[in-house]
Amino acid sequence: MKVKGLRWWIISLIALATVINYIDRSAINILWPYIYKEFGIADVDNKSALALITTFFMIAYALGQTFTGKMMDAIGTRMGMTLSILGWSISIALHAFAKSLLSFNIFRFMLGFSEAGNWPGATKNNAEWFPARERGIAQGIFGAGASLGSVVAAPVIAILYVIFGWKMTFVLIAVLGLIWIIPWLYVNKATPDKHPWITEEERNYILAKPEVKDAVEIQEAPVLTWKELLKFRNTWGIITGRFFIDPVWWLFVTWLPTFLKEQFMFDIKQIGAFTWVPYLFAAIGSLVGGYHASVQIKKGTEPQKARKNAIAVGSVIMLASLVIIVYQLGSLKDTPTLAMILIGFTLFGFQYLIGNIQTLPSDYFHGKNVGTVAGMGGTAAVAGTLLTTWAVPVITQTSYVSFFVLAAVLVPVSWLCIKYISSKK
């Protein structure tokens, strides 16, 4: 049996895994404003408690990014992705048995470590299955999965909570990941050079000129240690770029439901009705950002330069929308729809650029170093996010202005880090 366009089936499954990933991780942020009292947590302490839970998740996520990056390089994306999603499905199901804040912290740690594998796995998968000129759009499809997961998460989790309660909600969303494993193992039988279903035309397209030179280099590239990789300017550009820009996304993923409850006095049904809007913008941004880079590459622009151009456009969109929010936040209290649209443009800009940043390891590194550098970038992203996570309960005691100012400051700093990367592979 031969399947035309097999690479698009593979990336579609990766995107679906990312949707599930974000449904699972978003559940606690959506439910927390309405369940924290069951654990004896006072109103004044609820944001600090959520920050603590998020910290356990993010520390594990940081460790998991680096560990799973190495794992993907060692055992391949087929089994690496399978182990990751199996681990996070079990972990999210265990949330239903949480009896205290300590229980949540333990289960969130398990979830963070296993969910981390999705990112280096996707980056390595795209490097294997797509020529350089298509990796931007492939990463955009994968990135859109993160946004679509957040679009789906809010209404689905709100409905499940109203019908079944919070415990059964965690169990039901865990089933999604276990089901995903079946088509993944069935379709993704091997890499493009050995897959029995791939057509000869598609195999040649992925591996042949102008990718032949890269393919040979990938096979011959030495496997470098973390210490050796840190000697490269490009490694530091990717790491610091992720350190500063990823916290902006996580500010909204973690705190948007709490912001809506405190700023607009929303109940969980209203959270479900409004929270998906910014993530729909983000999903579109992911696809457009990937398409932007791919079009430039097809016109002859170097892949690295094309991705940097797309990153610049995304940064401008983010910064402009955040500045407007900062100056208009007071008046936005009466217009939650407009607030969601402006936040939507912020997340549109983020997804416009992040897929291109996540593709840079495959542009600047070869072979079994790609997943490792991608994992290092993910770890740095988590380190930056931890700092902002603990800042939020302090800076939002009286107003959310500082919240949006913090996000606005991080954007140009990240862009300067990306500019620091050299053109040498």
Side-chain angles (χ1 to χ4, degrees):
M1 181 177 70
K2 299 295 182 181
V3 177
K4 290 185 177 180
L6 184 60
R7 66 191 185 282
W8 300 109
W9 288 96
I10 298 293
I11 191 58
S12 296
L13 284 171
I14 289 284
L16 181 58
T18 310
V19 170
I20 297 169
N21 186 295
Y22 261 81
I23 291 174
D24 289 2
R25 74 173 59 185
S26 299
I28 190 66
N29 301 318
I30 295 168
L31 294 173
W32 186 251
Y34 307 97
I35 67 173
Y36 66 82
K37 290 183 179 179
E38 292 189 30
F39 300 93
I41 297 171
D43 290 343
V44 70
D45 296 323
N46 95 83
K47 283 196 284 190
S48 295
L50 180 57
L52 181 62
I53 291 172
T54 303
T55 297
F56 272 81
F57 177 89
M58 298 307 295
I59 289 174
Y61 196 74
L63 296 172
Q65 285 273 349
T66 299
F67 174 83
T68 57
K70 277 289 188 184
M71 179 182 73
M72 296 296 171
D73 284 336
I75 67 176
T77 54
R78 183 176 189 264
M79 291 310 301
M81 288 294 294
T82 299
L83 291 176
S84 290
I85 200 165
L86 179 64
W88 90 56
S89 297
I90 293 171
S91 300
I92 196 64
L94 288 174
H95 283 54
F97 302 94
K99 301 294 183 183
S100 64
L101 187 59
L102 176 61
S103 301
F104 268 122
N105 289 337
I106 293 172
F107 299 146
R108 292 304 285 181
F109 188 93
M110 294 170 59
L111 182 71
F113 191 89
S114 50
E115 280 202 335
N118 196 61
W119 270 255
T123 300
K124 183 173 178 62
N125 176 84
N126 290 348
E128 292 173 341
W129 278 92
F130 290 87
R133 58 185 171 275
E134 286 187 347
R135 286 176 196 159
I137 188 63
Q139 199 75 12
I141 293 171
F142 151 66
S147 304
L148 288 174
S150 297
V151 169
V152 173
V156 167
I157 291 169
I159 291 170
L160 291 176
Y161 172 74
V162 171
I163 297 175
F164 299 106
W166 68 270
K167 293 183 179 181
M168 199 62 191
T169 297
F170 284 120
V171 173
L172 292 174
I173 60 178
V175 175
L176 297 174
L178 299 177
I179 294 173
W180 177 90
I181 292 173
I182 299 171
W184 173 252
L185 292 176
Y186 182 69
V187 174
N188 189 18
K189 296 180 181 296
T191 50
D193 56 325
K194 300 176 182 177
H195 202 294
W197 292 0
I198 193 170
T199 64
E200 197 64 29
E201 180 183 5
E202 185 174 16
R203 179 183 286 110
N204 291 336
Y205 177 73
I206 295 171
L207 300 177
K209 293 181 180 180
E211 304 298 328
V212 167
K213 182 175 181 290
D214 285 346
V216 172
E217 288 175 349
I218 285 172
Q219 293 174 357
E220 298 176 350
V223 179
L224 303 178
T225 65
W226 293 320
K227 183 178 179 180
E228 290 171 329
L229 287 168
L230 288 173
K231 294 178 181 179
F232 293 100
R233 174 175 175 172
N234 295 341
T235 305
W236 281 105
I238 292 168
I239 288 174
T240 53
R242 294 289 306 276
F243 177 86
F244 289 110
I245 199 63
D246 278 68
V248 180
W249 173 259
W250 282 96
L251 282 171
F252 293 100
V253 169
T254 303
W255 300 106
L256 184 57
T258 301
F259 167 73
L260 292 175
K261 184 187 178 187
E262 294 186 352
Q263 188 85 355
F264 303 107
M265 306 305 293
F266 278 5
D267 60 26
I268 194 165
K269 293 180 182 178
Q270 291 170 307
I271 294 286
F274 274 83
T275 305
W276 63 271
V277 174
Y279 296 108
L280 180 60
F281 278 73
I284 297 170
S286 182
L287 295 173
V288 176
Y291 179 75
H292 177 176
S294 293
V295 168
Q296 288 188 72
I297 293 170
K298 288 180 180 179
K299 290 181 177 179
T301 305
E302 288 293 321
Q304 299 93 323
K305 184 178 180 180
R307 295 195 222 289
K308 286 184 178 181
N309 291 341
I311 293 166
V313 172
S315 298
V316 170
I317 295 170
M318 287 183 73
L319 188 58
S321 57
L322 286 166
V323 169
I324 293 172
I325 294 172
V326 168
Y327 281 100
Q328 299 296 325
L329 188 59
S331 60
L332 290 175
K333 288 185 177 181
D334 300 320
T335 54
T337 301
L338 179 57
M340 291 299 95
I341 291 173
L342 288 171
I343 292 172
F345 274 109
T346 301
L347 299 188
F348 174 94
F350 177 87
Q351 286 296 337
Y352 198 107
L353 64 83
I354 193 62
N356 288 286
I357 293 179
Q358 290 171 335
T359 309
L360 292 178
S362 63
D363 290 329
Y364 286 106
F365 295 90
H366 288 303
K368 292 191 173 183
N369 299 308
V370 173
T372 303
V373 174
M376 294 168 73
T379 299
V382 173
T385 301
L386 282 174
L387 296 177
T388 58
T389 296
W390 278 104
V392 170
V394 177
I395 65 178
T396 61
Q397 290 181 4
T398 58
S399 168
Y400 274 84
V401 172
S402 297
F403 177 95
F404 292 101
V405 169
L406 173 61
V409 169
L410 292 173
V411 175
V413 175
S414 175
W415 166 238
L416 290 175
C417 294
I418 298 301
K419 288 286 287 182
Y420 173 78
I421 299 174
S422 73
S423 60
K424 185 177 179 181
K425 188 174 177 81

